[in-house]
Amino acid sequence: MAAEIFTEDYKITNFETNLHGTITLQYLLDVIVQASEDQSQAINLGTEKVQENGVTWVVIQYDVDIKELPKAGQPVKLQTQGTSYTKSFANRHFWIRDMDGHILVEVKSLWVMMNLTTRKMVRIPESVVTPYGSEKVKRLERLHKLHKFDVDNAKKMKFPVTFNDIDFNGHVGNTRYINWMSDTLSFDFQKGRLPTGFSIKFEDEVRYGDQVTSEVNIIDDGNTTVHQIMVDGKARSMAEITWKKIN
Amino acid sequence: MAAEIFTEDYKITNFETNLHGTITLQYLLDVIVQASEDQSQAINLGTEKVQENGVTWVVIQYDVDIKELPKAGQPVKLQTQGTSYTKSFANRHFWIRDMDGHILVEVKSLWVMMNLTTRKMVRIPESVVTPYGSEKVKRLERLHKLHKFDVDNAKKMKFPVTFNDIDFNGHVGNTRYINWMSDTLSFDFQKGRLPTGFSIKFEDEVRYGDQVTSEVNIIDDGNTTVHQIMVDGKARSMAEITWKKIN
């Protein structure tokens, strides 16, 4: 039996959109994460409840396929499903649909469970996955393998990590990273293109007070950009964004 | 007859809140502005419609009184009223209420009309205020006079202005300024305090590609902070935030 799909209505606000009047990549992740947090609350498996066991969910990667970016004021359906899991990994799917049910955005994601004291990966307890109806499997579907980053041809930009970047769980919200990444691209680049998808991978946390360096390679005639977020010479997150020209 | 009060339901998302689990000052402004944009759309006086006359609304100041900051997941009522106007100025009020009608946040604001070509203030056309039921008055209520900024005792922090800071109207969203301001305050300062109100005044635009310097004075034993946003040595926005200690 497939895992339960949780659905909730949402309306894209004006401030979640950019010059194009379409949702920014950061808010795209923010709204789908909101849906999964609402699902978890609804079955009494919110962050606080999970952390009572000394563990917490950590996202490793999002693979985002954008058919059409939601627009300012657009009512949408947010859907999420704790699809399947192995001993150490779990898959969660997300969909943003228009009110007629057409898929606007589809997201696959990979999660692990971390021990809060040792900060090490641990075996996923059945009690935190079975309530979602998640299917136990031998192997999970592979997520996208990112393009190798070319440090020698990188353009760089620095951002301070601030109090307002810290979320209500006390960590720097990792949805923030994708905007630090896309913000390295010029005004003209972004004005003339819309993203058709992205994959983002998280390696290590960024902390309050850090100065992050966001690095970018523009490849494939501007149809693909490759990104990394560095702190103290160490990559904390990598991504690949695909683009289409407009007008 | 008093001007019409527009009301809509809203639910504070998790990502609109910070470490305290309460809405950030930027999102507080974002959600009330959303309510006024929704009111304007509803009576066919949205930004596009107004700009057909070659003019646009520009906010001069918000005075925000916070009784209680809305929390992550809290359903609230957003209210707004185009209260009154003179030849050159207009007042708009906002309220955020809990579902029992108690006021959480009350905001007064002052607006002018700008000619899009000359970038100069112009007389407010009756046609863009009477549909709100706004009352024509001789004088408007005075808004808060900000504390003088002490440049010699300022702490400073720099922020790049990026593509994601540009809103769907093509300008740097001025709600962004208040977070640049509060982000100059240390982690410990902000962890130990909650804002009880703020006044923010807008003097001039910040543009894409600018490097803004956010400057702060901490006065009155940390109960008040005074802020300014500088670009090329010129103040673009000033604010005063009041705080209460917690725990």
Side-chain angles (χ1 to χ4, degrees), chain B residues 104-174:
Chain B
L104 302 173
V105 180
E106 186 167 1
V107 183
K108 294 174 180 175
S109 66
L110 181 66
W111 299 72
V112 295
M113 203 108 232
M114 189 181 74
N115 180 298
L116 284 165
T117 314
T118 64
R119 312 297 283 178
K120 293 230 158 69
M121 258 177 73
V122 293
R123 195 187 173 107
I124 298 171
E126 301 272 322
S127 62
V128 301
V129 279
T130 49
Y132 296 101
S134 302
E135 200 183 349
K136 183 153 197 179
V137 293
K138 280 269 186 331
R139 292 184 70 85
L140 293 176
E141 187 187 351
R142 275 275 168 87
L143 290 194
H144 182 68
K145 193 166 183 298
L146 298 187
H147 200 279
K148 208 170 148 41
F149 194 81
D150 174 8
V151 182
D152 296 331
N153 290 295
K155 192 188 143 192
K156 300 177 186 190
M157 201 163 159
K158 284 182 189 297
F159 297 93
V161 182
T162 69
F163 190 83
N164 282 307
D165 294 325
I166 304 172
D167 66 20
F168 76 132
N169 291 318
H171 295 95
V172 174
N174 59 29

